[in-house]
Amino acid sequence: MGAFKAVAFDYDGTLFDTRPAIVHSIQRTFENAGRPVPPLEDIVRTIASGAALPDTFLILDRVLRQQPATLQDRIKTYRAIYLAEGMPLLNPFAGVHNVLRQLRDDCIKCIVISNKGIAAIERSLAIADLTSFIDMVLADAPGMPRKPDPRLLTDHVLPKFAGLRNQDILMVGDTEADIHFAKATGMACCWAAYGFGDAERCRALKPEYEIAGIEELPAIIASPA
């Protein structure tokens, strides 16, 4: 019997290589607002932290030493640009389709938990023919808490899956936000080293597992409890 009955996947940098789409959409959002575009290295560093979109804009405003613009307007603009121009720039990481199919065949529940807007996630899963492998998607929406808030697990995941406990779920993610979320909920964490997170900062948080590619995940899931 394996150690885990479910896997909670982050999305950006874990299932999909979305960095080109995110960088492009952030740059275009600043341009659209007539504001200076933050340096690329600061955009990449902010993405690596796993910050939610509102926090991303606030962080980049501080980088530019500018007064924050209206967040809701920029979030709306960003998401429109992402859907129109960013989607062609993203792809699932190599091996994602095979791993998700294997987990489904092994009766492992697969959940996506992300601070990203839900429309972009659901559209990309459909385009990549991955929707059928995912049992639940939790993403940024009105009233929905964001990682690392443990209510994502306690109020939304566990009530949906009868008998599932936090110790039955493996959190797989690439940033500090994912590891903090796992720690806050009592889930074991597998750090996706191939993603966007800062290696030194993520390893310092001591996730229980680390993978260099998603194809390494099934062996962890199948390990004895």
Side-chain angles (χ1 to χ4, degrees), residues 168-223:
D168 297 326
I169 309 170
L170 178 66
M171 180 68 212
V172 181
D174 66 313
T175 69
E176 299 158 63
D178 301 307
I179 304 172
H180 284 304
F181 176 55
K183 301 288 185 185
T185 56
M187 292 186 291
C189 185
C190 177
W191 177 52
Y194 57 87
F196 307 155
D198 181 275
E200 183 176 356
R201 294 172 68 92
C202 288
R203 288 191 177 113
L205 296 173
K206 301 186 184 303
E208 286 80 4
Y209 305 95
E210 176 179 329
I211 53 175
I214 198 168
E215 65 277 359
E216 299 174 14
L217 185 61
I220 294 172
I221 304 299
S223 62

Side-chain angles (χ1 to χ4, degrees), residues 132-202:
S132 64
F133 303 131
I134 303 299
D135 296 282
M136 184 181 196
V137 176
L138 292 178
D140 189 26
M144 183 67 68
R146 299 188 182 104
K147 290 181 295 187
D149 192 323
R151 291 177 297 166
L152 281 164
L153 181 73
T154 58
D155 295 2
H156 295 277
V157 174
L158 296 182
K160 180 177 175 62
F161 300 99
L164 192 66
R165 306 166 299 169
N166 55 355
Q167 59 265 41
D168 297 326
I169 309 170
L170 178 66
M171 180 68 212
V172 181
D174 66 313
T175 69
E176 299 158 63
D178 301 307
I179 304 172
H180 284 304
F181 176 55
K183 301 288 185 185
T185 56
M187 292 186 291
C189 185
C190 177
W191 177 52
Y194 57 87
F196 307 155
D198 181 275
E200 183 176 356
R201 294 172 68 92
C202 288

Side-chain angles (χ1 to χ4, degrees), residues 64-190:
L64 296 172
R65 298 183 179 179
Q66 292 193 354
Q67 291 296 319
T70 304
L71 274 178
Q72 290 306 313
D73 288 346
R74 282 196 287 173
I75 290 170
K76 183 178 179 179
T77 298
Y78 170 92
R79 288 184 170 157
I81 291 170
Y82 190 98
L83 290 174
E85 303 174 16
M87 295 296 291
L89 303 178
L90 60 86
N91 288 288
F93 284 104
V96 164
H97 190 279
N98 289 339
V99 167
L100 290 179
R101 180 174 56 191
Q102 181 176 342
L103 295 180
R104 182 199 61 186
D105 292 346
D106 291 341
C107 298
I108 302 296
K109 298 295 183 185
C110 292
I111 304 157
V112 174
I113 303 180
S114 173
N115 289 337
K116 194 180 197 71
I118 193 165
I121 294 175
E122 290 182 338
R123 183 180 295 186
S124 63
L125 289 172
I127 291 171
D129 198 23
L130 297 173
T131 303
S132 64
F133 303 131
I134 303 299
D135 296 282
M136 184 181 196
V137 176
L138 292 178
D140 189 26
M144 183 67 68
R146 299 188 182 104
K147 290 181 295 187
D149 192 323
R151 291 177 297 166
L152 281 164
L153 181 73
T154 58
D155 295 2
H156 295 277
V157 174
L158 296 182
K160 180 177 175 62
F161 300 99
L164 192 66
R165 306 166 299 169
N166 55 355
Q167 59 265 41
D168 297 326
I169 309 170
L170 178 66
M171 180 68 212
V172 181
D174 66 313
T175 69
E176 299 158 63
D178 301 307
I179 304 172
H180 284 304
F181 176 55
K183 301 288 185 185
T185 56
M187 292 186 291
C189 185
C190 177

Side-chain angles (χ1 to χ4, degrees), residues 48-62:
S49 73
L53 189 56
D55 296 325
T56 294
F57 282 121
L58 291 173
I59 291 167
L60 293 174
D61 283 337
R62 289 197 294 269

